[in-house]
């Protein structure tokens, strides 16, 4: 029987529904399929359908977790894939190893060594090596100039320095700096605050966002860092405040260009979720209460050293964190009428991160000297 040739538009419709790793593998089938990964219309169609994925690290490997809720969430399909992670260095201290995402790329920080500029979807990695090994990584963003075709990626961080108070006494302070990746230049900045983020800032549309509080009033709000102007800003107040010092507040990306806030009450374990309207305006950020979840079977989120990653699909919370007893990666799928825990049978998770939009753009050439 002769093979049936499908119409091109039907082929593209089918391919646009594939998970990222499967789509990348399909490039080798034919030239047309390969060219689709450079077609903006096709990529936009694919990105509109793809779900966020979790990336987590163990002692020796990195994995991605893809979750499909099309069955209604009662019996989700979970796919776990090992992702290429043959980095030029081994982590000296896994407690200081972090993964963050920016613009669909992954950045893995290696304590006192540098940062890997990583695209696991295309099996590409570049290496950013600090001149000053004591530079502390905080987050990644970019400076976008309409007159320049490529984004200029930058890293926000700090150096621990000593200041003489007297002839016999010194105090430690943080000297904030921006590291420009392409030029390898380090620029020092004045920070209008003392409280550094206790959780990794969130990268969204090239800027960083994190939850902090006023040291005097203890009022919680979101602070941001704008990489284009290289300035810190008070972005907005939170829709809720802490009722207990150990309440947990976790920020995440919502629908690609918005923010979501998860609060867990330390006393009751209850989780509440707020989201911003789809189009955020820095002049007026509007929060909407999305859902409040029951306390039964929910994990305590305090002291999760490996991090807490989550995303929202309609009114379902999908969360990844380490199991309270075993430390292995666990997925929680929670909504008002259900709380389902699925333990991933792998090594102890060291860090987890939610990647909202896989990027099929190559790692910039100045960083791509090291193939995976």
């Amino acid at each position: 029987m002769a093979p049936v040739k499908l119409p091109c538009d039907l082929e593209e419709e089918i391919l646009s529904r594939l998970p990222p790793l499967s789509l990348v593998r399909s490039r080798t089938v034919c030239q047309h399929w390969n060219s689709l990964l450079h077609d903006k219309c096709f990529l936009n169609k694919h990105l509109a359908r793809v779900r966020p994925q979790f990336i987590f690290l163990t002692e020796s490997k990195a994995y991605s977790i893809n979750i499909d809720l099309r069955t209604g969430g009662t019996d989700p399909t979970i796919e776990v894939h090992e992702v290429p992670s043959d980095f030029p260095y081994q982590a000296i201290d896994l407690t200081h190893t972090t993964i963050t995402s920016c613009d669909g790329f992954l950045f893995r920080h290696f304590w006192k060594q540098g940062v890997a500029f990583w695209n696991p979807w295309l099996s590409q990695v570049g290496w950013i090596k600090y001149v000053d090994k004591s530079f502390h990584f905080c987050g990644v963003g970019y400076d976008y100039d309409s007159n320049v075709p490529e984004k200029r990626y930058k890293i926000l961080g700090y150096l621990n320095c000593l200041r003489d108070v007297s002839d016999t006494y010194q105090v430690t302070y943080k000297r904030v700096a921006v590291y420009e990746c392409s030029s390898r230049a380090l620029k020092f900045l004045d920070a209008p605050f003392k409280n550094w983020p206790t959780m990794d800032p969130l990268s969204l549309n090239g800027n960083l966002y994190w939850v902090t509080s006023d040291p005097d009033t203890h009022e919680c709000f979101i602070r941001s860092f704008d990489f284009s102007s290289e300035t810190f800003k008070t972005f907005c107040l939170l829709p809720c405040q802490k009722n207990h010092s150990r309440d947990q507040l976790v920020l995440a990306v919502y629908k690609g260009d918005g923010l979501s806030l998860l609060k867990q009450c330390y006393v009751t374990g209850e989780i509440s979720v707020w989201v911003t309207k789809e189009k955020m305006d820095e002049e007026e950020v509007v929060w909407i209460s999305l859902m409040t979840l029951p306390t039964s079977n929910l994990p305590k989120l305090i002291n999760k050293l490996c991090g807490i990653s989550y995303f929202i699909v309609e009114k379902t919370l999908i969360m990844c964190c380490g199991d309270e007893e075993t430390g292995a990666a666990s997925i929680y799928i929670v909504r008002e009428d259900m709380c389902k825990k699925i333990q991933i049978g792998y090594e102890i998770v060291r860090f987890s991160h939610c990647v909202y939009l896989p990027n099929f753009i190559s790692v910039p050439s100045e960083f791509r000297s090291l193939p995976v």
Side-chain angles (χ1 to χ4, degrees):
M1 182 177 177
V4 178
K5 174 65 177 175
L6 296 176
C8 288
D9 57 348
L10 181 55
E11 277 189 355
E12 293 180 13
E13 182 68 21
I14 295 170
L15 291 171
S16 71
R17 298 173 184 271
L18 291 178
L21 289 176
S22 299
L23 183 58
V24 169
R25 294 189 187 106
S26 73
R27 292 185 305 165
T28 59
V29 174
C30 65
Q31 186 175 355
H32 174 63
W33 288 15
N34 181 55
S35 67
L36 288 176
L37 286 185
H38 304 282
D39 185 300
K40 288 186 177 180
C41 291
F42 173 79
L43 291 178
N44 287 337
K45 182 186 290 187
H46 178 265
L47 294 176
R49 289 172 170 162
V50 73
R51 297 289 190 207
Q53 297 191 30
F54 295 113
I55 300 288
F56 71 92
L57 297 176
T58 66
E59 292 280 358
S60 57
K61 296 180 180 180
Y63 298 92
S64 70
I65 305 175
N66 181 58
I67 301 167
D68 189 343
L69 298 176
R70 282 178 290 186
T71 57
T74 56
D75 189 20
T77 301
I78 294 182
E79 295 180 352
V80 181
H81 299 277
E82 183 180 342
V83 294
S85 56
D86 187 14
F87 298 109
Y89 294 92
Q90 294 296 318
I92 297 173
D93 183 353
L94 281 170
T95 60
H96 287 93
T97 296
T98 59
I99 292 180
T100 188
S101 62
C102 172
D103 203 27
F105 292 112
L106 291 174
F107 293 79
R108 179 176 176 182
H109 176 235
F110 289 78
W111 175 247
K112 293 188 176 180
Q113 296 175 87
V115 175
F117 195 134
W118 183 23
N119 188 334
W121 326 114
L122 298 182
S123 298
Q124 294 174 346
V125 66
W127 184 251
I128 302 166
K129 187 175 182 180
Y130 302 140
V131 175
D132 192 324
K133 302 295 185 183
S134 61
F135 182 74
H136 291 249
F137 176 93
C138 180
V140 181
Y142 55 80
D143 176 2
Y144 181 73
D145 186 341
S146 58
N147 298 318
V148 179
E150 293 187 353
K151 298 169 182 174
R152 295 188 293 252
Y153 291 93
K154 299 179 180 180
I155 298 172
L156 177 68
Y158 63 89
L159 299 169
N160 282 324
C161 302
L162 291 173
R163 179 188 291 119
D164 291 330
V165 177
S166 66
D167 293 339
T168 58
Y169 183 63
Q170 293 179 315
V171 295
T172 302
Y173 70 97
K174 291 179 173 60
R175 194 177 184 192
V176 179
V178 169
Y179 184 90
E180 189 173 283
C181 298
S182 57
S183 66
R184 274 56 171 181
L186 196 65
K187 179 181 179 181
F188 291 99
L189 305 173
D190 291 327
F193 58 87
K194 293 183 180 180
N195 293 340
W196 201 250
T198 55
M199 299 182 72
D200 290 327
L202 190 72
S203 182
L204 176 62
N205 298 332
N207 298 323
L208 293 179
Y209 301 87
W210 64 95
V211 174
T212 188
S213 61
D214 185 291
D216 298 321
T217 65
H218 304 293
E219 187 175 45
C220 294
F221 61 94
I222 295 176
R223 179 170 277 133
S224 67
F225 182 75
D226 187 317
F227 279 96
S228 295
S229 61
E230 296 184 345
T231 55
F232 294 93
K233 300 177 182 178
T234 298
F235 184 68
C236 69
L237 291 175
L238 293 183
C240 62
Q241 294 295 318
K242 286 188 175 183
N243 303 109
H244 189 284
S245 61
R246 306 191 83 183
D247 286 353
Q248 294 300 293
L249 299 170
V250 187
L251 205 60
V253 174
Y254 179 65
K255 290 188 175 180
D257 61 357
L259 295 174
S260 66
L261 178 74
L262 181 153
K263 175 187 176 181
Q264 184 178 51
C265 175
Y266 175 72
V267 176
T268 66
E270 182 181 81
I271 285 180
S272 301
V273 178
W274 289 262
V275 298
T276 58
K277 283 192 172 181
E278 291 186 15
K279 293 183 179 180
M280 288 196 306
D281 185 341
E282 287 199 30
E283 299 300 323
E284 184 180 2
V285 179
V286 179
W287 292 92
I288 300 170
S289 177
L290 186 68
M291 56 184 172
T292 299
L293 300 171
T295 60
S296 58
N297 300 321
L298 289 175
K300 286 284 188 179
L301 300 182
I302 192 168
N303 296 330
K304 291 288 186 183
L305 297 179
C306 65
I308 303 160
S309 299
Y310 76 91
F311 62 91
I312 307 293
V313 177
E314 296 179 353
K315 288 199 172 185
T316 301
L317 169 69
I318 299 96
M319 180 169 59
C320 178
C321 59
D323 182 84
E324 293 176 306
E325 296 180 359
T326 66
S330 296
I331 302 295
Y332 293 86
I333 300 174
V334 190
R335 61 189 186 206
E336 291 182 352
D337 60 347
M338 181 187 74
C339 179
K340 188 166 188 174
K341 175 184 175 181
I342 303 169
Q343 187 162 309
I344 308 299
Y346 288 90
E347 306 166 56
I348 295 175
V349 62
R350 292 300 180 186
F351 192 83
S352 66
H353 184 75
C354 181
V355 183
Y356 201 86
L357 291 180
N359 195 337
F360 296 110
I361 301 172
S362 294
V363 168
S365 57
E366 62 263 34
F367 308 116
R368 211 176 348 122
S369 56
L370 298 166
V372 176

